[in-house]
């Protein structure tokens, strides 16, 4: 602390206090979410061309669109899947691209070739980000009200209110039934009258009109003239006039029955075993999930009071539950860790004033960090909150070493009371700056980290770097000023070294006096640590993101291709029975023909969202394995795939949610299908591989109605006329709409179900020729069954089939190694087929590659810092080797804790570099400050004895502060547990490494560079 700081002590302390208070007040305005806001560089194009065969769809639609979007700047990969009449194209861009601009460019590229595509083609373009998935989900069920009424309530009463909540992007309504008027025409009667369905549809459309026909000015007023013949109900529809003439009027009721029913639907939505309407809320980017959930719950309570008593609103998903639980867990971990650290300081320092000075720096630094987080537009999430909890150990470090040095100088130095504090602060400024810089600069390379890991850990690194910078400012300026205000001469008279401390000093002196004359012995003693670290590295599995117990999971299912909705529903009722018998299952919702993200699927597939009871209970993995085993054994004919929420979310946003994906490439589609089945059967034998999917996805069977052109021509019919008539018969014609309050109800002209429900009935459908005679369909067409066509997949314009699987009970690295071994067996693949691994393993590989670059860059930056501080290569190299030796302990800690080496653990390993370097700087700075009169070995011993207590204090305090995170207390702790375990493991060995290994390395390098004396250059 300089004289300047003392002169401005009031303004400095006031500014720091104001900064901390401002951070406290912005806590309530900072948005709260589960994860940092991530912009995923992915755009998805959905193409729909009716019922075009898959092969033709691929050639005529998918491939031209692929080539068009491939030219958009920034595109890295293009992947497509084509089935009958539809195709999905996923375009991945480079990380960092402006995705709004990229999405618009994709849409523009498709529109440029629009004239070359089929006229009936419809397409949508959307960018993928976490907000496309709901954060809240509710169900609406009733014992008395129909599904039509429930859907209308959700659409027109509940959705407008929830949509008005700040931060809500949209409210999707799934399930229920859609009201519809159906005109069921008697074919025999219209045949007798010479009418067809088109005539009836035209008459209804003309009868239901409201249109302005002019204006009239009269009696000083202007009137709008409306021609209004709107139909209001079934009776009015029945009275529609179809024909008039000499024989009288022909009304619709003469040839048809008008009924109010529901539209045909190929979906089924349930909640807790009952047909239901689901409404789910998506949030806007940057909004607070917790605030949205709070407002939604408040509004729904008010709405429920106004609904009939038999209508129940139940919550089946609430992301804010996990967020709040995780935040509480992190807060508890922070408070417990801080409390343990304070107790440690009190035990070591035995002075309440000094302990309070050190302890007060933590809330000041964290509160100021919140202000920075808010200013940068970040949210409270599992990464920022965890970063603050992990930073407690390092924040209290700075205060401890500064206050300890001040007290030591107050005891030893001469001069006035204030001069001794000035001296201590000035002496310690350089070591404090160097040590703080060593922990802060390791976060600099993370700014260049891309991908999922970069998006997640940038928030963590910004939080910790901010906290450490504020901590340095407080330790550098505030701690000396507070010491000057609070400490007295009495505080310096307390005995510094107790009996135990003196015993440790004596033992340390004996050890170094015997080792430093032969420093190579220390290296021999280091070998067991390095060997144990190497062994642990080999035994430690690898993974991508830490596995979290999020209180729920997704169960995707698929019945056999072509399975009807009713048969699929029958199978799923058995699954629901299993779920209700599992005690940990609290509630669930099910979508058939739809998905959690709101995407329409085939009628034989869909998903469950299963919510578990709060902890304590069986682990999420155990429950998932139990569900998987029971469903596989008791519900044959149903393929299932279970996924955790975060894993499924990240996987969907990055194109492939499965950890294992084997992409097989060849030009021959039939060969790919055969090899995919073969590969899937072999992978199924690998332990830990579950939920296998061979990637061959056939569509359901079809009835092919082939018009015989010559026979149709003889009857005066064209194939197009036959197709149009069949469409009217079999699908019906929506001819007009009737308004009922806030909604429009379709009016469909159709024939009775018994006339179209079987193949035999279809053969006898009568088609009217232009000259008025009627022709049965079987006379001019052949109806033959046709097997479903397999989905056609391409990756970067190359034909591909992806075999996917999930992992249970094993780490990803060893499992994928077994997969590679299996695939590389002789005869597994033919010479013209090759494979590439994708899925989450590919994301892990990219993340590990980037993190290794970050790790190396952090080492380089720390080495440059050390070289700048001391301008001796041998000093910087000695410190760097000491620091790197601590990495061995990280692998030992991960192995003993049974934690995978994932991106969170690698982040912790990188932080260990800065933490151990920080302590090394304190040791060597102490060594430099000692008088030159001491011999080299004695000088090292004295430096070690002087730094032993502060190193012990900071180490124990840091370990205890991190211990709640390391043991994984509470919800969401799994995300940061590997980081905490890695840091704690490094902290455990930092004291012996710095106090024993560092002096030995300094001696070795000093001798190697040929110094004649053992006193190192200053």
């Amino acid at each position: 602390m300089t004289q300047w700081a003392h002169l401005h002590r009031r303004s400095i302390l006031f500014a720091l206090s104001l900064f901390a208070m401002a951070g406290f007040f912005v806590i309530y305005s900072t948005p709260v979410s589960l994860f940092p806001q991530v912009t995923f560089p992915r755009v998805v194009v959905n193409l729909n061309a009716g019922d075009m065969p898959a092969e033709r769809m691929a050639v005529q639609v998918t491939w031209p669109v692929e080539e068009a979007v491939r030219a958009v700047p920034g595109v890295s990969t293009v992947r497509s899947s084509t089935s009958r009449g539809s195709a999905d194209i996923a375009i991945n861009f480079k990380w960092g691209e402006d995705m709004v601009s990229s999405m618009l460019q994709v849409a523009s590229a498709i529109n440029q070739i629009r004239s070359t595509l089929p006229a009936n083609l419809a397409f949508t373009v959307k960018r993928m980000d976490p907000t496309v998935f709901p954060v809240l989900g509710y169900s609406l069920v009733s014992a008395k009200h129909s599904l039509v009424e429930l859907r209308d309530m959700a659409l027109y009463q509940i959705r407008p209110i929830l949509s008005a909540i700040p931060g809500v992007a949209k409210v999707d309504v799934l399930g229920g039934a859609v009201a519809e008027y159906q005109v069921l025409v008697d074919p025999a009667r219209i045949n007798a009258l010479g009418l067809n369905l088109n005539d009836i549809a035209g008459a209804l459309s003309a009868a239901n009109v409201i249109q302005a026909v002019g204006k009239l000015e009269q009696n000083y007023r202007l009137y709008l003239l409306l021609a209004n013949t709107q139909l209001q109900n079934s009776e009015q529809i029945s009275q529609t006039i179809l024909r008039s003439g000499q024989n009288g009027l022909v009304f619709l009721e003469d040839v048809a029955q008008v009924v109010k029913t529901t539209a045909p639907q190929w979906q089924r939505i349930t909640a807790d075993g009952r047909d239901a309407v689901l409404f789910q809320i998506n949030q806007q980017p940057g909004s607070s999930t917790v605030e949205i959930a709070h407002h939604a719950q408040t509004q729904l309570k008010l709405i429920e009071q106004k609904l009939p008593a038999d209508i129940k609103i139940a919550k089946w998903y609430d992301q804010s539950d996990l967020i709040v639980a995780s935040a509480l867990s992190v807060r508890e971990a922070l408070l417990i860790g801080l409390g343990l650290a304070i107790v440690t300081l009190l035990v070591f320092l035995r002075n309440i004033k000094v302990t309070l000075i050190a302890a007060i720096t933590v809330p000041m630094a964290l509160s100021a960090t919140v202000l920075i987080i808010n200013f940068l537009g970040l949210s409270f999430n599992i990464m920022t909150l965890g970063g603050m909890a992990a930073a407690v150990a390092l924040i209290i470090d700075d205060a401890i070493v500064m206050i300890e040095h001040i007290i030591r100088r107050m005891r030893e130095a001469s001069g006035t009371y204030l001069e001794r504090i000035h001296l201590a602060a000035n002496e310690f400024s350089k070591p404090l700056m160097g040590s703080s810089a060593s922990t802060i600069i390791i976060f600099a390379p993370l700014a260049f980290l891309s991908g999922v890991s970069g998006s997640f850990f940038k928030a963590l690194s910004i939080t910790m770097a901010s906290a450490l910078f504020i901590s340095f400012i407080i330790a550098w300026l505030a701690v000396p000023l507070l010491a000057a205000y609070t400490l007295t001469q009495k505080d310096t008279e307390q005995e510094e070294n107790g009996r135990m401390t003196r015993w440790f000093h004596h033992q340390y002196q004996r050890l170094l006096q015997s080792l430093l004359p032969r420093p190579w012995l220390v290296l021999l003693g280091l070998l067991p640590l390095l060997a144990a670290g190497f062994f642990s590295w080999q035994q430690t599995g690898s993974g991508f993101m830490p596995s979290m117990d999020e209180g729920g999971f997704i169960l995707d299912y698929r019945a056999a291709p072509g399975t009807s909705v009713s048969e699929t529903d029958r199978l799923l009722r058995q699954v629901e029975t299993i779920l209700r018998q599992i005690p940990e299952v609290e509630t669930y919702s099910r979508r058939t023909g739809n998905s959690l993200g709101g995407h329409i699927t085939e009628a034989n597939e869909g998903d469950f969202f299963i919510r578990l009871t709060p902890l304590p209970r069986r682990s999420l993995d155990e429950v998932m394995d139990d569900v998987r085993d029971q469903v596989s054994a008791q519900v044959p004919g149903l393929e299932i795939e279970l996924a955790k929420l975060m894993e499924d979310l990240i996987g969907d946003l990055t194109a492939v949610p499965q950890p294992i994906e084997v992409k097989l490439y060849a030009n021959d589609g039939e060969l790919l299908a055969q090899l995919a089945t073969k590969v899937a059967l072999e992978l199924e034998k690998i332990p830990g591989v579950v939920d296998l999917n061979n990637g061959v996805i056939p569509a359901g069977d079809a009835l092919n109605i082939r018009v015989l052109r010559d026979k149709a021509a003889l009857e005066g019919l064209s194939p197009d006329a036959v197709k149009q008539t069949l469409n009217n018969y079999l699908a019906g014609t929506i001819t007009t709409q009737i308004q009922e309050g806030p909604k429009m109800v379709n009016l469909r002209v159709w024939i009775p179900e018994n006339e179209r429900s079987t193949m035999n009935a279809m053969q006898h459908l009568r088609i009217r020729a232009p000259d008025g005679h009627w022709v049965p369909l079987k006379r001019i067409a052949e109806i033959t069954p046709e097997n479903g066509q397999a989905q056609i997949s391409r990756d970067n314009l190359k034909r591909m089939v992806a075999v996917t699987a999930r992992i249970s009970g094993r780490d990803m690295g060893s499992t994928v190694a077994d997969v590679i071994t299996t695939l590389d067996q002789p005869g597994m693949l033919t010479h013209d087929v090759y494979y590439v691994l994708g899925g989450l393993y590919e994301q892990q590989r990219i993340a590990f590659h980037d993190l290794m670059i970050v790790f190396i860059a952090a080492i380089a930056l720390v080495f440059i810092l050390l070289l700048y501080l001391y301008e001796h290569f041998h000093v910087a190299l000695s410190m760097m080797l000491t620091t790197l030796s601590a990495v061995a302990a990280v692998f030992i800690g991960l192995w003993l804790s049974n934690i995978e080496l994932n991106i969170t653990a690698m982040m912790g390993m990188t932080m260990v570099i800065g933490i151990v370097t920080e302590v090394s700087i304190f040791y060597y700075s102490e060594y430099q400050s000692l008088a030159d009169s001491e011999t080299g070995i004695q000088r090292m011993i004295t430096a070690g004895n002087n730094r032993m207590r502060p190193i012990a204090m900071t180490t124990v305090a840091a370990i205890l502060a991190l211990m709640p995170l390391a043991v994984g207390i509470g919800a969401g702790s799994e995300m940061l547990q590997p980081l905490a375990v890695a840091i704690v493991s490094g902290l455990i060995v930092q004291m012996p490494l710095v106090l024993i290994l560092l002096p030995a390395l300094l001696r070795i390098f000093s001798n190697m560079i040929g110094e004649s004396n053992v006193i190192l250059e200053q």
Side-chain angles (χ1 to χ4, degrees):
M1 183 182 67
T2 62
Q3 187 67 28
W4 171 86
H6 177 70
L7 291 173
H8 298 278
R9 58 191 180 278
R10 294 180 182 86
S11 59
I12 290 173
L13 290 175
F14 179 76
L16 290 174
S17 301
L18 191 64
F19 201 48
M21 290 173 61
F24 176 79
F25 283 111
V26 302
I27 287 176
Y28 301 99
S29 62
T30 304
V32 184
S33 57
L34 184 58
F35 299 116
Q37 180 60 38
V38 181
T39 301
F40 283 83
R42 183 167 176 252
V43 170
V44 174
V45 179
N46 302 115
L47 303 161
N48 193 302
D51 296 313
M52 187 181 294
E55 288 286 354
R56 185 174 177 184
M57 180 78 184
V59 173
Q60 196 171 350
V61 178
T62 308
W63 298 353
V65 173
E66 280 182 344
E67 293 173 1
V69 300
R70 195 72 180 83
V72 174
V75 171
S76 59
T77 62
V78 176
R79 181 166 176 169
S80 69
S81 59
T82 307
S83 55
R84 187 192 302 275
S86 66
D88 294 324
I89 301 177
I91 305 116
N92 291 320
F93 289 80
K94 298 174 184 175
W95 283 88
E97 293 284 335
D98 182 349
M99 292 312 300
V100 174
S101 173
S102 298
M103 180 185 68
L104 296 175
Q105 291 183 70
V106 168
S108 176
I110 299 174
N111 281 317
Q112 288 177 12
I113 63 166
R114 185 68 181 80
S115 60
T116 66
L117 301 174
N120 65 336
L121 177 71
F123 73 90
T124 60
V125 180
K126 61 182 178 181
R127 62 190 180 98
M128 301 296 289
D129 61 64
T131 59
V132 304
F133 296 93
V135 295
L136 287 167
Y138 294 87
S139 63
L140 203 61
V141 296
S142 172
K144 298 178 181 178
H145 288 73
S146 69
L147 289 175
V148 172
E149 293 173 306
L150 291 179
R151 181 177 176 86
D152 288 347
M153 289 177 187
L155 284 172
Y156 305 115
Q157 294 185 43
I158 297 175
R159 184 165 72 170
I161 295 173
L162 297 182
S163 298
I165 295 174
V168 171
K170 63 175 181 176
V171 179
D172 288 327
V173 176
L174 305 178
V178 179
E180 182 176 86
Y181 288 101
Q182 291 183 2
V183 177
L184 301 178
V185 179
D186 186 336
R189 293 187 180 185
I190 63 171
N191 291 351
L193 294 171
L195 298 172
N196 59 29
L197 293 188
N198 286 334
D199 297 330
I200 296 173
L204 287 168
S205 180
N208 186 42
V209 173
I210 179 170
Q211 184 176 343
V213 294
K215 294 181 181 179
L216 174 64
E217 186 174 358
Q218 182 176 326
N219 299 329
Y220 310 106
R221 297 182 67 86
L222 182 64
Y223 296 93
L224 178 67
L225 305 180
L226 296 174
N228 188 348
T229 61
Q230 292 182 96
L231 301 173
Q232 302 292 333
N233 50 49
S234 299
E235 184 178 352
Q236 291 185 8
I237 296 170
S238 299
Q239 294 299 312
T240 301
I241 299 173
L242 303 179
R243 178 183 290 175
S244 62
Q246 296 178 350
N247 297 326
L249 302 177
V250 177
F251 293 95
L252 181 62
E253 63 183 0
D254 297 330
V255 298
Q257 178 187 6
V258 180
V259 296
K260 188 174 184 182
T261 180
T262 58
Q265 59 177 355
W266 315 112
Q267 300 180 3
R268 186 65 57 82
I269 307 295
T270 68
D272 293 326
R274 301 171 64 184
D275 288 336
V277 172
L278 306 182
F279 55 95
Q280 48 199 39
I281 300 173
N282 294 50
Q283 70 178 96
Q284 294 175 348
S287 57
S288 174
T289 309
V290 175
E291 285 295 316
I292 292 173
H294 172 71
H295 289 308
Q297 196 66 28
T298 302
Q299 294 293 341
L300 287 173
K301 286 181 180 178
L302 296 176
I303 292 171
E304 199 166 15
Q305 293 173 3
K306 302 175 183 178
L307 295 177
D310 66 296
I311 297 179
K312 302 298 180 184
I313 298 177
K315 181 168 62 178
W316 53 267
Y317 177 50
D318 188 349
Q319 195 180 88
S320 70
D321 288 344
L322 178 61
I323 296 171
V324 172
S326 300
L328 290 176
S329 297
V330 171
R331 187 184 70 180
E332 290 172 2
L334 191 154
L335 293 175
I336 293 171
L338 178 60
L340 292 174
I342 290 173
V343 171
T344 302
L345 298 183
L346 200 56
V347 169
F348 275 94
L349 298 174
R350 293 166 294 170
N351 187 304
I352 294 179
K353 290 181 184 178
V354 175
T355 302
L356 288 177
I357 291 173
I360 202 174
T361 61
V362 176
M364 286 182 68
L366 292 181
S367 184
T369 302
V370 171
L371 188 64
I372 297 175
I373 288 174
N374 186 275
F375 176 76
L376 295 176
L378 300 177
S379 66
F380 284 140
N381 52 66
I382 201 166
M383 304 308 290
T384 52
L385 291 173
M388 286 193 285
V392 169
L394 305 180
I395 292 171
I396 209 165
D397 247 17
D398 293 341
I400 288 173
V401 292
M402 174 59 86
I403 198 70
E404 193 275 341
H405 190 74
I406 288 173
I407 290 179
R408 190 149 56 90
R409 283 293 176 259
M410 287 174 66
R411 289 173 181 153
E412 297 173 354
S414 58
T416 65
Y417 181 73
L418 197 58
E419 286 174 349
R420 282 179 282 171
I421 293 179
H422 286 185
L423 173 65
N426 285 328
E427 280 182 347
F428 213 66
S429 292
K430 180 180 176 181
L432 185 64
M433 288 181 184
S435 63
S436 297
S438 70
T439 52
I440 293 173
I441 62 173
I442 63 172
F443 296 108
L446 288 167
F448 305 97
L449 197 61
S450 63
V452 178
S453 54
S455 301
F456 272 65
F457 286 99
K458 278 177 185 175
L460 177 72
S461 61
I462 289 173
T463 302
M464 294 197 70
S466 302
L468 294 177
F469 177 74
I470 298 297
S471 168
F472 161 71
I473 297 297
I474 292 173
W476 183 41
L477 297 176
V479 168
L481 293 174
L482 290 173
Y485 271 114
T486 58
L487 298 183
T488 63
Q489 185 63 35
K490 184 178 179 181
D491 296 306
T492 66
E493 294 172 355
Q494 180 180 332
E495 184 183 5
E496 180 178 3
N497 299 323
R499 181 182 303 175
M500 183 176 294
T501 303
R502 290 194 298 271
W503 182 84
F504 274 110
H505 285 180
H506 178 67
Q507 298 301 320
Y508 177 70
Q509 180 167 344
R510 289 182 56 191
L511 180 65
L512 259 63
Q513 283 176 341
S514 61
L515 289 178
L516 290 186
R518 296 173 294 278
W520 295 102
L521 293 176
V522 177
L523 299 185
L524 292 177
L526 181 66
L527 289 179
L529 174 65
L530 299 180
F534 179 75
F535 173 79
S536 301
W537 171 68
Q538 289 185 315
Q539 300 300 313
T540 302
S542 64
F544 180 44
M545 298 286 283
S547 178
M548 285 180 59
D549 188 335
E550 299 154 289
F553 61 94
I554 305 292
L555 188 154
D556 295 317
Y557 58 83
R558 181 184 290 112
T563 305
S564 66
V565 175
S566 57
E567 175 59 16
T568 303
D569 183 63
R570 185 188 68 81
L571 294 173
L572 296 174
R573 297 290 179 180
Q574 299 177 46
V575 177
E576 292 179 350
T577 300
I578 294 172
L579 293 177
R580 287 194 293 270
Q581 293 173 351
I582 294 177
E584 290 83 3
V585 174
E586 182 177 36
T587 184
Y588 64 86
S589 63
R590 187 248 291 182
R591 287 147 292 276
T592 301
N594 212 307
S595 65
L596 183 62
H599 311 300
I600 296 175
T601 65
E602 296 289 340
N604 65 316
E605 58 184 273
D607 60 38
F608 283 87
F609 181 91
I610 300 164
R611 183 181 182 186
L612 303 183
T613 56
L615 295 168
R617 52 165 165 75
R618 284 189 298 173
S619 71
L620 181 60
D621 288 321
E622 289 176 320
V623 176
M624 290 174 65
D625 288 339
D626 190 8
V627 171
R628 180 184 292 112
D629 293 341
Q630 290 197 47
V631 174
S632 299
Q634 300 177 32
V635 191
L638 194 68
E639 296 180 7
I640 62 169
E641 185 178 320
L642 282 72
K644 297 178 182 177
L645 302 181
M646 185 181 71
E647 180 183 283
D648 194 60
L649 171 63
I650 294 176
D652 285 338
L653 293 173
T654 55
V656 181
Q658 293 84 1
I660 299 174
E661 183 195 32
V662 180
K663 297 188 285 188
L664 303 174
Y665 294 88
N667 294 322
D668 188 340
E670 292 185 4
L671 175 62
L672 279 177
Q674 295 171 6
L675 289 176
T677 303
K678 178 182 177 182
V679 168
L681 290 174
E682 290 298 319
L683 296 186
E684 197 171 17
K685 301 174 183 177
I686 298 175
V689 174
V690 297
D691 299 343
L692 255 162
N693 188 327
N694 62 16
V696 181
I697 306 173
D701 295 343
L703 290 177
N704 190 8
I705 304 175
R706 189 170 69 88
V707 177
L708 304 174
R709 297 177 181 274
D710 51 350
K711 293 185 177 182
L714 291 174
E715 302 290 348
L717 292 167
S718 67
D720 186 65
V722 175
K723 181 199 75 171
Q724 183 62 45
T725 302
L726 289 176
N727 185 72
N728 293 341
Y729 281 156
L730 302 176
T733 302
I734 305 295
T735 181
T736 187
Q737 291 181 316
I738 297 172
Q739 184 174 357
E740 291 186 354
K743 68 176 181 177
M744 301 299 292
V745 180
N746 288 335
L747 177 60
R748 185 190 301 267
V749 177
W750 218 353
I751 61 175
E753 186 176 2
N754 63 326
E755 300 278 349
R756 52 182 164 81
S757 59
T758 65
M759 188 184 302
N760 184 60
M762 285 194 296
Q763 288 177 337
H764 289 86
L765 289 174
R766 297 166 66 84
I767 299 174
R768 186 183 181 190
D771 61 1
H773 77 280
W774 295 89
V775 181
L777 179 62
K778 64 181 181 180
R779 187 186 300 174
I780 59 172
E782 291 179 348
I783 303 177
T784 55
E786 182 181 279
N787 293 329
Q789 296 175 316
Q791 188 180 84
I792 300 171
S793 298
R794 300 216 312 170
D795 188 28
N796 283 332
L797 312 183
K798 181 76 173 175
R799 187 76 176 255
M800 182 270 295
V801 170
V803 181
T804 60
R806 295 191 181 273
I807 301 170
S808 177
R810 287 188 68 183
D811 67 281
M812 188 187 296
S814 63
T815 307
V816 173
D818 288 348
V819 169
I820 294 173
T821 302
T822 300
L823 293 172
D824 290 340
Q825 290 176 356
M828 176 60 65
L829 302 177
T830 58
H831 69 280
D832 55 343
V833 177
Y834 65 94
Y835 75 90
V836 174
L837 294 178
L840 292 182
Y841 171 74
E842 174 67 10
Q843 297 297 318
Q844 181 212 44
R845 189 190 63 80
I846 295 171
F848 273 33
H849 174 267
D850 292 346
L851 283 169
M852 281 305 301
I853 294 176
V854 167
F855 183 74
I856 295 170
I859 293 173
L861 288 174
V862 170
F863 186 83
I864 292 170
L865 173 67
L866 294 174
L867 196 58
Y868 171 78
L869 289 173
Y870 303 114
E871 291 297 336
H872 286 288
F873 274 100
H874 69 278
V875 174
L877 187 58
S878 298
M879 291 187 181
M880 204 71 257
L881 291 175
T882 302
T883 298
L884 290 176
S885 299
V887 174
V890 172
F891 288 110
I892 296 172
L894 293 175
W895 176 56
L896 293 176
S897 305
N898 196 27
I899 293 177
E900 297 176 346
L901 177 64
N902 48 46
I903 59 177
T904 311
M906 290 193 69
M907 182 73 184
M909 187 170 68
T910 305
M911 291 175 61
V912 166
I913 299 296
I915 293 170
V916 179
T917 302
E918 177 182 10
V919 179
S920 300
I921 289 173
F922 288 143
Y923 172 83
Y924 192 74
S925 297
E926 180 69 23
Y927 173 86
Q928 281 188 314
S929 68
L930 295 176
D932 293 346
S933 58
E934 294 190 52
T935 62
I937 292 178
Q938 186 56 44
R939 192 173 172 184
M940 289 181 176
I941 294 172
T942 303
N945 282 331
N946 288 345
R947 299 311 308 167
M948 186 179 293
R949 189 175 75 152
I951 290 176
M953 278 193 295
T954 57
T955 300
V956 175
I959 289 174
L960 292 177
L962 287 168
M963 195 55 67
L965 284 179
V967 298
I969 297 175
S973 59
E974 299 96 333
M975 176 60 72
L976 293 168
Q977 186 181 19
L979 179 141
V981 168
I983 295 176
V984 168
S985 301
L987 288 171
I988 289 173
V989 298
Q990 78 166 1
M991 189 169 179
L993 288 177
V994 172
L995 294 181
I996 299 174
L997 178 61
L998 179 57
L1001 290 174
L1002 290 171
R1003 290 280 299 171
I1004 291 171
F1005 285 118
S1006 298
N1007 294 333
M1008 289 176 62
I1009 61 176
E1011 290 184 358
S1012 58
N1013 56 12
V1014 292
I1015 302 176
L1016 300 179
E1017 284 185 38
Q1018 304 307 307

